[in-house]
Amino acid sequence: MNRSFRTLRERRDKIIEDERTIQLQERVKNIRAYSIKNMDLLIEKVVKNFEKNGVEVILAEKSEDALDALYSIVKDESIIAKSKSNTAGEIGLSEFLEDKGVQVVETDLGDRIVQLDPDSNPSHPIGPASHLRMDDIVKIISNEFNIDIKPEPRAILDIIKQDVLLKLAKCNIGITGANSVAADDGSVITVHNEGNINLVSMLDIHIIIVGIDKLVETIEDAVSVVKLETIFASGKTVPAYMNVISSHSKTADIEKILLDGMYGPRRVVVILLDNGRKQAIKKGGECLLCIGCGSCIVTCPIYNEIGNEFGYKRYLGGRGVVLSSFIDGNQSCFDSGLFTCTLCGLCTNKCPVGIKTNNLIKNLRNDSVDLNIIIDEHKSIKDRIKKKGSPFKQ
Ligand code: SF4
């Protein structure tokens, strides 16, 4: 992980000094603040505009609602394809579908490697296999395909690519997340480098699962958000691909008769997930300003030591700890590492939208003490103070 992140940190630290990045940062801060303040209005607009564009839209209040909606579409399939999505990870989509007998094929290289390793969980939003060394990966691939493979990145890539493409040919449904959603235009933006989202989103039915926190007002705002996300996530100004999806595929080239599903999907379905986000907005909504770049975690000293043990599902580091309290409640927040954080504030220094994660964690610790959800060491200190008047008295 350290090796993976060192170059990333160096590239990012150079580019974020650029005047254009600083201006973009200010713009995105305002965009995100507007979204949080006007969430109900944006939801209303996006539903109307998606429907106008022929995109089906489902509002899911909880994880279960999103999973039920999803299953009603995929229930007759034996295999579906998927690209990286934190929201899918949040609702446990892959586990849910696999339990129902639907095979889920991850198409992102890192995610596919992690999926083939029963002992692994993704370790970074854009580098899910960053915690694995070449030797580990070779072992995973050899076990899965029962072959000897050279410890070379290209050889690994070729084997996974060939296998995923064969499986993709059997899939009718592709599931992706979204990096930003434009309410006024009824459009979704996805960002990727591998080209896998192009393949997944071109299957017969494309399902997009996305949190309401990804909503912004216009398509120009959405592009600004994903551009800043790319800069802070990768240290590059643009990703290889930025797709805008505003409709299913259609043609009217024969006597102006409208036909759906030319080369792309016949149906596009967007599942918009709340799952505690409106609750987070009631409490100020600062954690929802996040654009998901992961810059905070590559700087975090705790994450750099213990990796994905610090955080909640795909939401890693202190930011994940904060989100978990709204998604899953106080006990889950405690279990995600509420008291693991050092409160050093390095995450805040490197956050493009200025989220003060360390302060949010401090406030949550306060709530947690009120609820008596505290670590054993603190309990014994509390008991000694109560009984003996001092934490030092035995
Ligand atoms: S909290 Fe800030 S630095 Fe961390 S992922 Fe979100 S936007 Fe990026």
Side-chain angles (χ1 to χ4, degrees):
M1 274 171 61
N2 275 326
R3 208 176 34 225
S4 309
F5 296 149
R6 194 178 315 124
T7 14
L8 171 59
R9 277 194 297 261
E10 284 166 7
R11 251 198 338 248
R12 175 201 64 187
D13 290 350
K14 215 182 270 172
I15 196 172
I16 63 177
E17 298 296 326
D18 190 292
E19 190 49 41
R20 280 167 304 183
T21 306
I22 296 167
Q23 282 170 11
L24 181 63
Q25 238 178 297
E26 284 315 305
R27 180 165 152 65
V28 171
K29 275 184 200 172
N30 291 332
I31 292 169
R32 297 299 305 128
Y34 176 88
S35 294
I36 301 301
K37 242 195 212 151
N38 298 280
M39 187 55 74
D40 288 338
L41 176 70
L42 291 184
I43 294 175
E44 200 182 301
K45 274 191 190 179
V46 84
V47 170
K48 197 176 85 202
N49 291 321
F50 272 146
E51 286 172 351
K52 198 169 82 191
N53 294 347
V55 172
E56 296 166 49
V57 51
I58 296 164
L59 295 175
E61 198 188 327
K62 305 294 297 168
S63 296
E64 306 83 64
D65 303 325
L67 291 169
D68 285 349
L70 190 99
Y71 189 62
S72 68
I73 305 169
V74 307
K75 63 181 186 311
D76 295 328
E77 305 296 313
S78 58
I79 182 167
I80 59 109
K82 180 180 162 292
S83 71
K84 196 188 300 125
S85 159
N86 289 340
T87 320
E90 172 186 330
I91 64 171
L93 180 145
S94 298
E95 299 81 347
F96 172 83
L97 290 182
E98 298 273 352
D99 277 356
K100 299 267 187 198
V102 182
Q103 188 186 354
V104 178
V105 183
E106 293 289 353
T107 52
D108 174 89
L109 177 58
D111 272 326
R112 184 67 180 152
I113 292 169
V114 170
Q115 189 181 35
L116 297 178
D117 178 15
D119 299 325
S120 262
N121 281 312
S123 53
H124 184 266
I126 61 161
S130 311
H131 59 295
L132 296 169
R133 291 169 192 275
M134 179 79 73
D135 289 353
D136 302 324
I137 298 175
V138 165
K139 218 182 282 167
I140 295 165
I141 306 294
S142 306
N143 286 345
E144 174 67 23
F145 298 100
N146 211 8
I147 46 162
D148 284 332
I149 167 175
K150 287 192 204 138
E152 286 172 6
R154 173 54 63 181
I156 295 167
L157 179 151
D158 284 341
I159 287 176
I160 300 262
K161 178 175 159 185
Q162 216 176 16
D163 180 58
V164 166
L165 286 176
L166 283 174
K167 291 192 162 60
L168 259 170
K170 297 180 192 157
C171 298
N172 298 314
I173 297 183
I175 302 177
T176 70
N179 295 73
S180 200
V181 180
D184 278 3
D185 305 275
S187 303
V188 162
I189 297 198
T190 60
V191 167
H192 52 124
N193 286 320
E194 293 183 7
N196 59 321
I197 295 183
N198 291 344
L199 300 175
V200 174
S201 62
M202 294 294 273
L203 295 170
D204 194 39
I205 301 178
H206 178 199
I207 304 173
I208 301 162
I209 165 101
V210 59
I212 54 171
D213 53 304
K214 296 285 178 195
L215 278 169
V216 295
E217 198 177 21
T218 65
I219 207 159
E220 289 81 1
D221 291 346
V223 171
S224 296
V225 169
V226 296
K227 195 150 191 285
L228 191 68
E229 179 187 350
T230 305
I231 290 172
F232 275 76
S234 65
K236 299 195 174 142
T237 50
V238 279
Y241 301 96
M242 208 186 263
N243 297 7
V244 179
I245 299 161
S246 313
S247 165
H248 56 288
S249 151
K250 56 196 168 196
T251 178
D253 280 353
I254 305 168
E255 290 193 354
K256 289 281 166 245
I257 296 162
L258 192 62
L259 300 169
D260 295 333
M262 183 63 198
Y263 297 108
R266 200 170 35 85
R267 278 175 79 187
V268 175
V269 183
V270 175
I271 301 177
L272 266 180
L273 180 71
D274 175 349
N275 217 18
R277 287 164 174 84
K278 284 191 182 161
Q279 193 57 30
I281 292 174
K282 278 190 194 142
K283 290 207 164 188
E286 186 176 344
C287 64
L288 296 188
L289 295 173
C290 179
I291 56 169
C293 63
S295 170
C296 48
I297 57 173
V298 295
T299 317
C300 169
I302 298 296
Y303 172 78
N304 273 282
E305 280 304 314
I306 63 171
N308 58 12
E309 282 172 42
F310 181 38
Y312 174 75
K313 298 187 176 176
R314 293 288 296 243
Y315 304 121
L316 300 173
R319 168 196 165 240
V321 173
V322 176
L323 271 176
S324 70
S325 72
F326 299 109
I327 295 173
D328 221 359
N330 294 75
Q331 185 61 48
S332 171
C333 173
F334 177 83
D335 297 338
S336 306
L338 182 61
F339 286 88
T340 312
C341 174
T342 64
L343 302 181
C344 68
L346 281 171
C347 50
T348 297
N349 284 349
K350 295 295 179 190
C351 175
V353 288
I355 299 172
K356 295 187 179 57
T357 302
N358 49 328
N359 285 351
L360 296 175
I361 287 190
K362 232 194 272 180
N363 296 341
L364 284 166
R365 283 185 183 177
N366 192 41
D367 298 348
S368 162
V369 172
D370 288 344
L371 294 165
N372 207 25
I373 308 174
I374 52 176
I375 55 177
D376 290 343
E377 288 82 351
H378 290 180
K379 267 189 194 144
S380 55
I381 291 173
K382 191 175 151 194
D383 289 345
R384 282 202 295 272
I385 293 173
K386 261 190 179 167
K387 281 186 203 147
K388 312 270 184 181
S390 159
F392 305 110
K393 200 108 178 133
Q394 295 298 323

